[in-house]
Amino acid sequence: MTAFVSLQGLRRAWNEFFFAPRDTRVCDVIRIGYSFLLLINVLVLAPDLERWFSESGVLPFAASRAVVDSDTLTVFQWLPREDWALWSCYLIMIAQIVMLMIGFLSRVQAICVFIWFVSFSHRFMFLWDGEDNVFRLLGFLLIFCPIGRYYSIDRKIRAPSPDHDGPRPAWGLRLIQFEMSLIYLSTAWEKLNGPEWLMGTALYYVSRLDDVFGRFPVIPWLFETLWVVKLMTWSVLLVECFLPFGLWFKETRRAAIVLGFMLHLSIDYLMVLFLFQWIMMVGLLSFTEPRDWHDLKKLLRFIRARLWRSAGGATMEKGRDDSSPHP
Amino acid sequence: MTLENSRLPLGRTIANAFIAALLFLFAVDAIPSTCLYHKWLKDRTDIIGDTLGTWQQEWRLFSPSPDKVNQRITAEVVFSDGRVATWSTPTWREMSFVMRFLKFRQLEYYDHVTQESHRAAWPYLADDIVKSVVDPASDAVPVSVTLERHWVDIAKPGAELGSMDSFYQFPNRKTFYSKKYSHDSVR
């Protein structure tokens, strides 16, 4: 009987977790942020497109299969190995990313964009890095999110219907949250097995890498003083250990999101890791709730008013309180 | 009507099975190997991630140990008229952050291409470098190209960490690829 009850409880909890109706605006915020970053990612490829992906480039198709797992698929294996085919694929991908961003036939675009991005990734495997793995996985999971319901062309052209508006299940969003937690858990786990992270010297090595470190000016003293380096290394370790758990509890969720943003912004200040930090922050948005956006708006309005007042500006507008939870 | 709609029990069952399968596959793939059975599971499920395009592997991100090497690639191309052209990967730290951002794929490529597992790409890297140094005004054709990897190991920190720019010279070098050209192989 107990086993039956607990099984029922588990089933109820599962259904509540994945299928409880919820505000899905954040799915569209993620859609827009994701496609904007992906657009930058693929536009940066343009000047060297033929060098990377054509038969006259640095890795012809046959050679590319020698350096990639043979199970991987790419549409390029079925297409002519000509430059016109490459450019056509590239331009169609860009067009579909733009359509995903503006929310025109959002789900169809999400499916196609995922297929294109996987195809380009598998065509030249070692051109890509961790951020592209996040792009791939978020792109896949976005397919299963209720996207295109807000801030989209789809919303403009769709006839109003109770089935489309209002809260609805968003299990795709739950899967994004799960994946984000897995990323933090996996890297924290790996770091806990690294002697340099435990001894606090990991950032000493990172700060001496000449290709990725030093995006903006830093005070050299910070990375030339052992105790400061140790403090920073352990802070990173602590935050990364906290995030996979802290993001899930309502008491710690906001603090975890803020810490996650601070971590990524500070790494982005210090290092050139392309779009990794930004796509991670887009992923972190999956943990936000309408109330967070509302409170953030209130906070920004408060700060603006204080700045306005301290600058001797006009009388503050009073009595305006936008209670809309729109992100 | 969507899969998760509670009015469709079959749809809900399919959605549940799909979610459970993804959770399982993602967790097996992303979490570092905990035991031999986990490793076995990773190997068996690898094909699903590869085929779907959802593979991820462990998220190392400078772990368990951060990189401890700075490297660059240089090349020497000899032409039929005796001219020798040299080539080198960019000095990334001297670039503006905008250029480093725009050239990030090059950085990735040069960083990874020297790995032994990517040796299939070396002949094409050599050809690409040769093309970039050919003088179109000259009739001379390339005779040979030699690719070298130069590197410096970032030393263990002592009580004094030393300057951040202590490891920008590359005292170690090794030829990792060389190629001779027949006269019509590069234009």
Side-chain angles (χ1 to χ4, degrees), chain A residues 123-139:
Chain A
R123 170 64 182 80
F124 197 153
M125 194 64 116
F126 63 90
L127 196 60
W128 314 91
D129 208 350
E131 79 243 272
D132 303 294
N133 294 348
V134 184
F135 272 111
R136 228 173 358 87
L137 292 160
L138 282 191

Side-chain angles (χ1 to χ4, degrees), chain A residues 25-77:
Chain A
R25 270 173 273 218
V26 73
C27 296
D28 283 299
V29 174
I30 292 172
R31 167 181 60 79
I32 293 166
Y34 169 82
S35 40
F36 176 70
L37 293 177
L38 186 61
L39 188 62
I40 296 172
N41 191 347
V42 299
L43 282 176
V44 166
L45 292 171
D48 287 324
L49 192 74
E50 289 176 22
R51 186 178 179 216
W52 300 138
F53 300 105
S54 78
E55 287 303 290
S56 57
V58 290
L59 198 65
F61 185 79
S64 79
R65 299 317 285 173
V67 296
V68 67
D69 225 325
S70 55
D71 309 321
T72 55
L73 300 174
T74 167
V75 294
F76 292 105
Q77 64 199 77

Side-chain angles (χ1 to χ4, degrees), chain B residues 41-86:
Chain B
L41 261 182
K42 272 179 184 274
D43 294 342
R44 293 295 170 281
T45 53
D46 181 57
I47 188 172
I48 302 171
D50 284 352
T51 310
L52 282 177
T54 57
W55 55 269
Q56 49 189 312
Q57 304 170 328
E58 296 88 7
W59 294 87
R60 297 190 179 272
L61 314 177
F62 300 100
S63 60
S65 290
D67 283 350
K68 294 170 185 163
V69 172
N70 284 328
Q71 69 158 6
R72 67 194 296 194
I73 303 170
T74 63
E76 197 174 88
V77 184
V78 178
F79 288 89
S80 55
D81 61 357
R83 183 170 70 95
V84 177
T86 55

Side-chain angles (χ1 to χ4, degrees), chain B residues 90-104:
Chain B
T91 307
W92 304 108
R93 67 177 183 281
E94 289 174 1
M95 284 184 172
S96 68
F97 81 88
V98 176
M99 285 310 290
R100 279 163 91 175
F101 184 87
L102 294 175
K103 303 270 182 196
F104 187 77

